């Protein structure tokens, strides 16, 4: 019988068989090898490393103050003074991109962290206990899903003052339903496993079985869901900011940089202004999707190198 503290390897025998591992090989080496064999996933990880690093070191990398306005230089093209040009108020585009990355990534990571926490708790409780509690919680999930999310987001952001914390709270509160269903499915399949039965026999508390034993075996799909969800939140933040309902100026974000560039004169005469924030959104979302796909393959024991 499998002991409770040996749960990492109990559900992954096919990995060892499919990859013909030596006895000393670990499951993490297999996952790393599978991930590294996915070229797009590696490219995505490198891009994310550069983007996140640039955001963290923005105060040292930014050539100018992102809020500094030089009206005589408004809509200046890329050149020696402004590497990526200047916006309609004469602010350095590169500096605002670097500081905007901090805001957009913060919204993405914080929102997904909140939604993953809520969804994991609800899905774990529903999947582990089942019965009437599962039915009630899943009907609540269905009710939340039935709301039109985009209109609900716009309504809530309009009612409350648009701000960084408002966006994070709204995305976290209404973005957990997919995680809840995913975690519930994992728990339904794992709650009858041998290591769970052994833990119950030893008299271990249900809360510890849920969050220490079963959850450790369900972390793979949760991590993949979180990685893919960050890209979606960044897109949603950009859309709301483009509509003027997201991060408010003078705080830079990639979304409100696009919002201030939607003037036809700017779009046609200053191509660099909307191009660079739009390109950063595209590259960042693609990178998160590439990494998510790579992690999904790495955590799946049925997929070979």
């Amino acid at each position: 019988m499998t002991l409770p503290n040996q749960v990492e390897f109990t559900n992954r025998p096919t990995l060892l068989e499919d990859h013909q591992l030596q006895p000393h090989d670990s499951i993490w080496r297999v996952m790393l090898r599978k991930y590294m064999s996915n070229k797009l996933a590696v490219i995505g990880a490198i891009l994310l490393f550069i983007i996140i690093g640039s955001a963290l070191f923005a105060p040292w990398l930014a050539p100018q103050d992102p809020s500094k306005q030089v009206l005589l230089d408004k809509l200046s093209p890329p050149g020696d003074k402004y590497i990526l040009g200047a916006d309609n108020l004469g602010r350095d585009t590169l500096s605002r991109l670097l500081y905007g990355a901090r805001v957009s990534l913060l919204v993405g990571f914080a929102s997904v962290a909140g939604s993953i926490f809520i969804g994991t708790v609800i899905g774990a409780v529903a999947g582990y206990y089942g019965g009437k509690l599962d039915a009630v919680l899943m009907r609540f999930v269905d009710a939340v899903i039935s709301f039109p999310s985009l209109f609900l987001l716009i309504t809530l952001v309009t009612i409350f003052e648009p701000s960084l914390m408002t966006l994070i709270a709204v995305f976290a509160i209404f973005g957990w339903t997919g995680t809840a269903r995913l975690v519930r499915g994992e728990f339904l399949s794992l709650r009858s496993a041998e290591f769970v039965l052994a833990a119950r026999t030893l008299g271990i508390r249900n809360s510890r079985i849920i969050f220490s034993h079963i959850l450790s075996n369900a972390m793979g799909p949760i991590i993949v869901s979180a990685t893919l969800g960050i890209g979606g939140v960044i897109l949603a933040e950009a859309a709301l900011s483009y509509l003027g309902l997201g991060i408010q100026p003078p705080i830079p974000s990639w979304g409100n940089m696009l919002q201030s560039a939607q003037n036809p004169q700017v779009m046609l005469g200053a191509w660099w202004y909307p191009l660079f924030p739009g390109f950063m959104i595209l590259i960042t979302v693609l990178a998160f999707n590439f990494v998510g796909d790579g992690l999904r393959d790495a955590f799946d024991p049925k997929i070979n190198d």
Side-chain angles (χ1 to χ4, degrees):
M1 181 175 293
T2 307
L3 295 178
N5 60 354
Q6 295 178 326
V7 299
E8 292 183 30
F9 303 91
T10 53
N11 296 319
R12 305 269 183 184
T14 55
L15 277 173
L16 303 179
E17 298 168 1
D18 291 343
H19 295 272
Q20 298 179 351
L21 294 181
Q22 299 299 323
H24 63 273
D25 284 335
S26 69
I27 199 69
W28 299 108
R29 288 185 182 180
V30 178
M31 293 181 181
L32 179 61
R33 185 158 62 243
K34 291 171 68 177
Y35 184 89
M36 296 301 293
S37 66
N38 189 327
K39 294 181 179 179
L40 288 178
V42 174
I43 293 173
I46 294 172
L47 289 174
L48 286 184
F49 179 80
I50 295 173
I51 293 169
I52 295 173
S54 300
L56 291 174
F57 294 100
W60 295 274
L61 296 176
Q64 299 188 29
D65 184 346
S67 300
K68 181 181 178 181
Q69 300 181 16
V70 183
L71 296 181
L72 294 177
D73 293 336
K74 65 179 183 179
L75 297 180
S76 295
D80 294 335
K81 185 175 182 180
Y82 300 105
I83 299 176
L84 299 182
D87 65 7
N88 58 340
L89 296 177
R91 297 172 295 191
D92 181 47
T93 301
L94 176 57
S95 300
R96 292 184 65 77
L97 279 177
L98 291 171
Y99 276 87
R102 306 181 96 186
V103 174
S104 296
L105 290 173
L106 176 60
V107 172
F109 280 107
S111 301
V112 169
S115 63
I116 289 294
F117 175 78
I118 298 172
T120 298
V121 171
I122 293 179
V125 171
Y128 182 78
Y129 289 103
K132 294 182 179 180
L133 180 59
D134 177 35
V136 171
L137 290 176
M138 286 302 101
R139 298 299 75 76
F140 176 63
V141 170
D142 293 338
V144 175
I145 293 177
S146 66
F147 286 105
S149 57
L150 179 60
F151 295 107
L152 185 62
L153 287 174
I154 293 175
T155 301
L156 290 175
V157 173
T158 304
I159 294 174
F160 300 99
E161 182 179 356
S163 66
L164 180 64
M165 294 307 299
T166 300
L167 282 181
I168 292 174
V170 168
F171 285 135
I173 292 173
F174 293 97
W176 56 268
T177 52
T179 302
R181 285 185 163 183
L182 177 66
V183 173
R184 172 182 175 267
E186 291 292 320
F187 269 67
L188 286 175
S189 64
L190 291 172
R191 68 179 182 179
S192 58
E194 290 184 356
F195 66 89
V196 177
L197 299 178
R200 289 173 177 169
T201 302
L202 294 174
I204 297 176
R205 293 175 301 178
N206 287 332
S207 60
R208 185 177 174 186
I209 295 175
I210 292 174
F211 296 106
S212 296
H213 301 309
I214 302 181
L215 187 59
S216 63
N217 282 268
M219 285 304 297
I222 295 174
I223 293 173
V224 174
S225 175
T227 305
L228 296 174
I230 293 174
V233 171
I234 291 175
L235 276 178
E237 182 275 325
L240 289 177
S241 295
Y242 183 80
L243 296 173
L245 299 173
I247 305 300
Q248 298 299 300
I251 300 175
S253 77
W254 294 335
N256 64 27
M257 289 178 71
L258 286 175
Q259 192 273 337
S260 60
Q262 60 182 312
N263 187 308
Q265 181 180 359
V266 174
M267 297 287 287
L268 296 176
W271 54 267
W272 59 89
Y273 186 20
L275 174 65
F276 293 118
F279 179 75
M280 289 305 302
I281 294 173
L282 172 65
I283 290 297
T284 304
V285 174
L286 278 178
F288 274 112
N289 287 339
F290 289 158
V291 170
D293 288 339
L295 290 174
R296 180 171 53 199
D297 293 346
F299 281 111
D300 191 344
K302 298 179 182 179
I303 298 179
N304 299 323
D305 289 336

